Amino acid sequence: MKRQVFTPFAKAQAFGLALGFVAALLAVNQLGYGIRLFLIATAAAWLAWEFLLGPRAPSHKSDARSLLYGGAMGFAFPWVGFLAAAAAEWLRP
């Protein structure tokens, strides 16, 4: 069985996702927002990106612009979850 090798774009996206997840999770925990909603919204943002914008992503390239795009997109997914958790907290009566 051959070992799966990730592209540089996938590695940049995973790094951005890990960094953004830790930062957003810390913010959610410190502010007392709902962690479950944060996790669900983060996963939904990631899946939506994979299905809607993922096919057009420059995942086969390894230039600096593509890697920055991948890292920024990975970093942004958890913050969508943070915004959903914050909105739910702000809308609570």
Side-chain angles (χ1 to χ4, degrees):
M1 183 178 218
K2 187 175 179 181
R3 192 181 92 194
Q4 180 76 15
V5 177
F6 291 112
T7 64
F9 183 83
K11 290 177 185 177
Q13 188 175 17
F15 178 74
L17 183 62
L19 189 64
F21 184 78
V22 168
L25 183 62
L26 181 64
V28 164
N29 193 27
Q30 291 294 325
L31 294 172
Y33 296 159
I35 292 178
R36 281 181 278 175
L37 180 61
F38 162 71
L39 294 173
I40 291 169
T42 298
W46 182 38
L47 286 173
W49 184 86
E50 288 293 337
F51 284 110
L52 298 175
L53 299 175
R56 292 188 296 258
S59 58
H60 59 282
K61 295 182 181 179
S62 62
D63 59 338
R65 185 175 181 176
S66 298
L67 296 179
L68 183 63
Y69 174 73
M73 285 293 102
F75 189 80
F77 301 142
W79 290 102
V80 172
F82 173 81
L83 291 176
E89 185 68 27
W90 292 332
L91 292 175
R92 180 184 286 176

